[in-house]
Amino acid sequence: MAQEGNGQKIDVAKSKVYYNWVMPLLRLLAFGATISATLVMALNNQKKTIVVATIGTTPIQATLNAKFQHTPAFVFFVIANGLVSLHNLLMLAFCFIGNKYDYKGLRFYVIGILDMINVALISGGASSAAFMGQLGRNGNSHARWNKICDKFYTFCNHGEGAIIASFIGLLLMIITTAINIIKLKNINNCAINIP
């Protein structure tokens, strides 16, 4: 038991046990959210045949494909979520073997920096995909861009689900980063208070 200056007792062992099971759980949930967002968007594809013109009584049809590769924002979304998924998977493995490779507490600094980089990455990917999804759903009358979700309903719904999963992964990564920063603060306080 450690004692703070105001008389409150802090159980360091309970804090460590709490940290040891909460962080892997948060990382596992973030991994699940980001990998599902990656897979749903990467496999998102819809083919539709529409009538583009009518000559006399003969309709002229065109078959159109909606794929995530057609929009750079969706490509970035898939790459960003895939990289964050890989990061979380590596950090999950590091949760169990990281104590063996810790050098003077440097592990927490490196993990904190990598977590912040991944928060920025997933934030950019999810935000750009959300913008393109809104544009596809509503169009833009000022730029004369038509909406496409009335024609590619399944494609838009799958994209919406992937974006929601990505924002859930972003929230979990923000929580994970905040816990790491708090852990770093506690490590620094312990280092300062030791005579």
Side-chain angles (χ1 to χ4, degrees):
M1 301 273 258
Q3 187 154 358
E4 272 189 298
N6 61 3
Q8 292 180 341
K9 293 184 178 180
I10 299 173
D11 193 349
V12 177
K14 281 185 182 179
S15 172
K16 191 171 184 177
V17 169
Y18 176 76
Y19 180 81
N20 287 341
W21 71 265
V22 167
M23 289 304 287
L25 179 65
L26 283 172
R27 290 204 184 274
L28 186 63
L29 291 172
F31 172 74
T34 55
I35 196 70
S36 64
T38 303
L39 293 174
V40 168
M41 187 63 86
L43 299 174
N44 197 5
N45 183 11
Q46 184 179 0
K47 187 182 287 189
K48 186 150 186 163
T49 303
I50 60 172
V51 176
V52 293
T54 304
I55 299 177
T57 58
T58 307
I60 298 177
Q61 297 179 339
T63 301
L64 302 174
N65 263 343
K67 295 181 180 180
F68 86 95
Q69 296 100 327
H70 296 160
T71 307
F74 291 157
V75 172
F76 176 62
F77 175 85
V78 169
I79 292 170
N81 277 284
L83 288 174
V84 173
S85 298
L86 178 64
H87 166 76
N88 279 314
L89 192 60
L90 292 174
M91 290 300 113
L92 271 172
F94 201 67
C95 281
F96 300 110
I97 64 168
N99 292 333
K100 296 177 185 176
Y101 301 105
D102 195 9
Y103 179 74
K104 296 183 181 179
L106 189 62
R107 168 177 63 124
F108 293 111
Y109 291 104
V110 172
I111 290 173
I113 290 169
L114 289 174
D115 281 347
M116 284 189 269
I117 290 170
N118 281 289
V119 164
L121 188 64
I122 193 172
S123 174
S127 297
S128 65
F131 169 75
M132 290 308 296
Q134 187 274 336
L135 187 63
R137 185 165 301 283
N138 300 328
N140 187 333
S141 60
H142 300 293
R144 297 180 194 245
W145 293 337
N146 296 329
K147 56 185 175 180
I148 65 159
C149 286
D150 56 342
K151 297 169 187 65
F152 295 100
Y153 186 74
T154 304
F155 178 79
C156 288
N157 283 342
H158 288 176
E160 183 179 332
I163 292 168
I164 290 169
S166 183
F167 274 112
I168 291 170
L170 172 62
L171 178 65
L172 292 167
M173 284 300 297
I174 289 171
I175 293 169
T176 302
T177 304
I179 290 173
N180 272 332
I181 290 170
I182 292 168
K183 180 72 173 174
L184 278 173
K185 180 184 174 292
N186 290 341
I187 288 173
N188 287 338
N189 284 344
C190 290
I192 292 170
N193 292 334
I194 295 174

